[in-house]
Amino acid sequence: ESTGCRHVQHALEIASSDEERSHLAMELRGHVLEAARCPHANHVLQKCIATLRPQDLSFIISELEGCSVLQVTRHKYGCRIIQRLVENCHARQLQTLVEDLLFDLPTTCRHPYGNYVVQNLLQYGAPEHRHAVVSTLGSEVRGLASDSYGCAVLAMALAHAAREDQVALARALLREPGLLPGMACMRHGHAATRRVLEILEGEEREDARRRLVAEADRLGLSRYGRLIVDGLEARRLPGSGGGG
């Protein structure tokens, strides 16, 4: 099976026309969900998405819409398929798929495979889709900030969302008592914490800095928390020039 899948991938690469590639890809019709979860066939599906014209991928999207989207998003191999679709399809093609993802977004953000799909959507998705994701994240910050995978999603949103959405998300994190120091002690959380300090300005940034400095002893017990403390003390992080 592995050898056969490699042959199909090669055939897609050397096909002489878009029509020939589309004809090869149609062999997957009716088997998309099965292929997405197969350790070998998922590579064929990814190659199809990467080499076919966006309009020729409609049958793949159609077979994944509905309950299958969340199944595939949270699957070891299937998550790669959703990511390739986000990278290669037009926004209008993915509207229903993104709506399906938003249905239980907090759980997907905390999932060991699903979180990569959300991060990918934040990095490569259409502006309207990124905005929809960040709007949902803003009301779920406490649960996300206490989870390693959730923190990775927050860090990606704070890095790639539109500026106004970054500010809104940073403020949502600041509003939750004790959230920033706890997040600063986590692998991905400390990156999100740095972004909060970079995004906020004026009194809001100083408020964030004070909360972190007040928990310096606690942060010092964590490898990642120490990075935040060291950055503030060395004045490498925004807000580290103030008193207190």
Side-chain angles (χ1 to χ4, degrees), residues 183-204:
M183 193 167 67
C185 295
M186 304 174 71
R187 177 185 175 188
H188 299 296
H190 99 280
T193 303
R194 294 174 72 98
R195 281 296 298 155
V196 169
L197 290 168
E198 292 168 358
I199 292 165
L200 296 178
E201 298 177 346
E203 182 55 35
E204 288 179 320

Side-chain angles (χ1 to χ4, degrees), residues 137-216:
L137 298 182
S139 62
E140 301 286 344
V141 290
R142 179 156 291 279
L144 295 173
S146 61
D147 179 84
S148 178
Y149 299 122
C151 281
V153 172
L154 289 172
M156 188 64 72
L158 291 165
H160 291 282
R163 173 66 185 178
E164 59 269 25
D165 287 334
Q166 291 183 21
V167 172
L169 186 57
R171 286 172 172 166
L173 289 164
L174 184 63
R175 281 195 297 269
E176 293 287 336
L179 205 59
L180 282 183
M183 193 167 67
C185 295
M186 304 174 71
R187 177 185 175 188
H188 299 296
H190 99 280
T193 303
R194 294 174 72 98
R195 281 296 298 155
V196 169
L197 290 168
E198 292 168 358
I199 292 165
L200 296 178
E201 298 177 346
E203 182 55 35
E204 288 179 320
R205 177 186 288 171
E206 180 60 20
D207 186 13
R209 187 198 72 84
R210 281 195 299 264
R211 297 187 190 198
L212 292 165
V213 170
E215 298 282 351

Side-chain angles (χ1 to χ4, degrees), residues 69 72-75 78-83 86 97 101 108 111 113-123 153:
V69 170
V72 174
T73 295
R74 298 171 188 174
H75 189 273
C79 65
R80 305 169 184 174
I81 305 306
I82 306 299
Q83 292 178 68
V86 169
L97 187 147
L101 278 174
T108 301
H111 191 274
Y113 301 123
N115 82 91
Y116 293 113
V117 172
V118 184
Q119 290 189 61
N120 185 269
L121 187 58
L122 287 164
Q123 189 169 4
V153 172

Side-chain angles (χ1 to χ4, degrees), residues 14-32:
I14 65 173
S16 59
S17 67
D18 291 327
E19 289 72 21
E20 183 179 347
R21 278 192 201 88
S22 180
H23 179 74
L24 286 168
M26 292 308 287
E27 295 295 321
L28 288 168
R29 183 183 288 275
H31 304 286
V32 170

Side-chain angles (χ1 to χ4, degrees), residues 119-136:
Q119 290 189 61
N120 185 269
L121 187 58
L122 287 164
Q123 189 169 4
Y124 298 107
E128 60 267 31
H129 294 159
R130 294 201 302 269
H131 174 72
V133 169
V134 177
S135 296
T136 302

